[in-house]
């Protein structure tokens, strides 16, 4: 699924729009460099990383923003159990510094949320600034009784329901439930194994 986005106020993007498409194995090096530049080397110690360690992203829910053949944005979603309720955790979301404030982040978010809804997922949770994520419907309204496996600021644990009521009664620890990398690699066979491990 590929979507092409234009923002009328962005002159550079008028002539060269960006596309949001499914992440490819060939995006991995650029994605990792973008995440290093956006979050620094400490990014692997962040609490939400505990929900991604050794796991595959949810099927069909890893996206790249591409501008003139270059990866300039990334977002992925991951299976979790939110106090026994199946949900997705979104992150990391990052856009290359030179391409920010042009709508790339919003396009990635809207595309990812629409794709998650189309696949029947009920809710998306993330740790981030309400000042940015409220525009996509995220709030702390349904996360007050949830916890992450590590330190986090209560006001930054946000969620949006894709199915009304999906997070009613959500209570307890958010834990990873996605396919483990090794299991996915074995299923994929030798040829795809290297790509899967690179893509994690
Ligand atoms: C957050 C991020 C993904 C937004 O990408 P983007 O392509 O610039 O997003 P958009 O163009 O859709 O929106 C930009 C707007 O959001 C605002 N914004 C960005 N981060 C924000 C934040 N943390 N809180 C509030 N507003 C924020 C910008 O100021 C900008 O406002 P403007 O339109 O009035 O200029 C990007 O700034 C980024 O990669 N930051 C570093 C990594 C990061 O912090 N990721 C999010 C983790 S919580």
């Amino acid at each position: 699924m590929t979507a092409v986005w234009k923002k009328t106020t962005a002159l550079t993007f008028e002539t060269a729009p960006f596309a949001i498409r499914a992440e490819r194995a060939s995006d991995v090096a650029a994605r990792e460099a973008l995440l290093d530049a956006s979050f620094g080397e400490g990014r692997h110690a962040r609490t939400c990383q505990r929900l991604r360690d050794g796991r595959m992203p949810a099927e069909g829910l890893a996206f790249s923003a591409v501008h003139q053949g270059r990866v300039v944005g990334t977002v992925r979603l991951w299976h979790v159990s939110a106090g026994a309720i199946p949900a997705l955790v979104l992150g990391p979301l990052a856009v290359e510094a030179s391409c920010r404030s042009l709508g790339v982040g919003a396009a990635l978010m809207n595309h990812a949320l629409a794709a998650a809804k189309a696949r029947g997922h009920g809710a998306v949770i993330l740790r981030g600034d309400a000042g940015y994520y409220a525009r996509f419907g995220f709030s702390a309204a349904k996360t007050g009784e949830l916890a992450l496996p590590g330190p986090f600021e209560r006001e930054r644990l946000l969620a949006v329901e894709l199915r009304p009521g999906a997070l009613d009664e959500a209570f307890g620890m958010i834990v990873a439930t996605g396919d483990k990398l090794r299991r996915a690699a074995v299923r994929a066979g030798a040829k795809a194994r290297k790509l899967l491990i690179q893509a994690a």
Side-chain angles (χ1 to χ4, degrees), residues 74-143:
T74 176
V75 70
R76 288 177 291 168
L77 292 98
W78 310 78
H79 287 290
V80 293
S81 164
I85 294 173
L88 296 167
V89 157
L90 182 146
L93 167 73
V95 172
E96 189 184 281
S98 66
C99 295
R100 287 182 192 160
S101 287
L102 296 171
V104 179
L108 278 166
M109 286 297 297
N110 289 326
H111 194 84
L113 293 174
K117 187 171 183 177
R119 286 177 170 269
H121 296 287
V124 178
I125 298 168
L126 58 78
R127 178 170 169 250
D129 294 337
Y132 185 68
Y133 290 107
R135 68 195 75 180
F136 310 108
F138 284 84
S139 78
K142 297 278 181 91
T143 60

Side-chain angles (χ1 to χ4, degrees), residues 25-100:
S26 55
D27 294 344
V28 171
R31 179 196 73 203
E32 291 301 298
L34 170 57
L35 294 177
D36 284 343
S38 298
F39 296 103
E41 286 184 4
R43 69 182 172 95
H44 296 287
R46 292 160 68 101
T47 294
C48 279
Q49 184 59 34
R50 303 289 74 78
L51 301 172
R52 304 189 283 259
D53 286 338
R55 304 276 173 169
M56 293 292 296
E59 191 171 346
L61 295 177
F63 299 103
S64 297
V66 181
H67 176 59
Q68 294 180 329
R70 221 160 39 85
V71 173
V72 297
T74 176
V75 70
R76 288 177 291 168
L77 292 98
W78 310 78
H79 287 290
V80 293
S81 164
I85 294 173
L88 296 167
V89 157
L90 182 146
L93 167 73
V95 172
E96 189 184 281
S98 66
C99 295
R100 287 182 192 160

